[in-house]
């Protein structure tokens, strides 16, 4: 009997629902432990992820950080904000391992980077390069077919060459206010 990916969408949802609020992210210890098992990738039978309604899950959103370079009232209130300590965020190596398993073995075809603001993460370019290395060779071949980003676009100009080099073809930006003096 072959082994396969041990966590379904419903069990992942249950795990996150029962986790303390501070650890409800993919960078939680549970995710680290699950993907650092010895020879994890070798125990996974390549097959698409499906939910309980038998829909194929091909899209992954990776929140790189909870930090932002703006102070909008709806996500950064005036009172203190508890940011995740840097050592609780997944490292580039951990993101690479998880992403490669999800893309190469479990059929994820589309990844969106988000946050907070993903471009404030110090290793943002390295993460983009790593995900770019997972791109598919052909339209129907295995691998990553789409890489996108959700951003406030303030720091975007400095990263355009990195995003182009790694095949980012779509994204979402936002403007919190039409007025220049308020969010």
């Amino acid at each position: 009997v072959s082994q396969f990916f041990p966590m379904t969408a419903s069990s992942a949802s249950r795990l996150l629902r029962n986790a303390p609020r501070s650890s409800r992210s993919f960078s939680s210890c549970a995710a680290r432990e699950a993907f650092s098992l010895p020879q994890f990738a070798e125990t996974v039978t390549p097959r698409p992820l499906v939910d309980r309604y038998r829909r194929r899950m091909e899209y992954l959103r990776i929140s790189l950080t909870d930090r932002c370079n703006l102070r909008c009232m709806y996500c950064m209130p005036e009172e203190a904000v508890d940011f995740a300590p840097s050592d609780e965020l997944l490292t580039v190596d951990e993101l690479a391992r998880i992403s490669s398993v999800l893309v190469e073995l479990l059929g994820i075809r589309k990844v969106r980077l988000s946050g907070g603001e993903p471009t404030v993460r110090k290793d943002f370019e390295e993460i983009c390069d790593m995900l770019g290395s997972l791109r598919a060779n052909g339209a129907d071949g295995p691998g990553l077919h789409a890489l996108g980003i959700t951003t406030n676009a303030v720091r975007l100009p400095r990263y355009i060459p990195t995003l182009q080099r790694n095949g980012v073809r779509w994204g979402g930006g936002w403007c919190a206010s039409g007025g220049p003096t308020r969010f």
Side-chain angles (χ1 to χ4, degrees):
V1 176
S2 65
Q3 296 179 356
F4 54 90
F5 190 67
M7 186 174 292
T8 64
S10 61
S11 63
S13 176
R14 228 179 356 269
L15 173 71
L16 291 176
R17 237 189 346 265
N18 296 329
R21 183 151 171 60
S22 63
S23 66
R24 287 186 186 182
S25 69
F26 201 53
S27 60
S28 70
C29 293
R32 273 203 174 113
E33 290 172 16
F35 285 94
S36 64
L37 294 172
Q39 302 169 343
F40 176 79
E42 291 78 21
T43 66
V44 176
T45 300
R47 66 184 208 161
L49 287 172
V50 294
D51 66 12
R52 65 182 177 188
Y53 300 107
R54 299 184 190 262
R55 294 176 295 195
R56 235 177 123 147
M57 294 186 292
E58 298 180 334
Y59 174 80
L60 173 67
R61 184 181 68 86
I62 301 174
S63 179
L64 297 180
T65 182
D66 56 354
R67 298 174 192 272
C68 186
N69 54 334
L70 299 179
R71 189 124 185 121
C72 305
M73 66 183 187
Y74 50 87
C75 65
M76 296 277 254
E78 288 184 25
E79 62 270 5
V81 177
D82 293 325
F83 292 114
S86 295
D87 64 340
E88 285 187 18
L89 298 176
L90 292 175
T91 66
V92 175
D93 289 339
E94 290 167 330
L95 284 168
R97 182 158 174 79
I98 291 168
S99 299
S100 64
V101 167
L102 291 170
V103 169
E104 295 169 6
L105 299 176
L106 300 174
I108 294 296
R109 297 169 58 93
K110 182 177 176 181
V111 172
R112 175 185 290 263
L113 300 175
S114 69
E117 171 55 37
T119 62
V120 300
R121 185 152 162 171
K122 291 177 183 170
D123 51 7
F124 178 72
E125 287 182 282
E126 191 177 351
I127 291 167
C128 288
D129 289 338
M130 176 273 299
L131 288 169
S133 73
L134 299 175
R135 286 190 309 186
N137 288 330
D140 294 326
L144 192 60
H145 288 258
L147 179 58
I149 183 172
T150 299
T151 177
N152 61 29
V154 171
R155 296 168 48 102
L156 198 57
R158 77 167 34 150
Y159 293 113
I160 287 176
T162 299
L163 298 173
Q164 288 176 330
R165 178 177 67 244
N166 291 295
V168 173
R169 298 285 183 253
W170 54 276
W174 56 267
C175 179
S177 170
T181 59
R182 60 177 252 223
F183 287 102

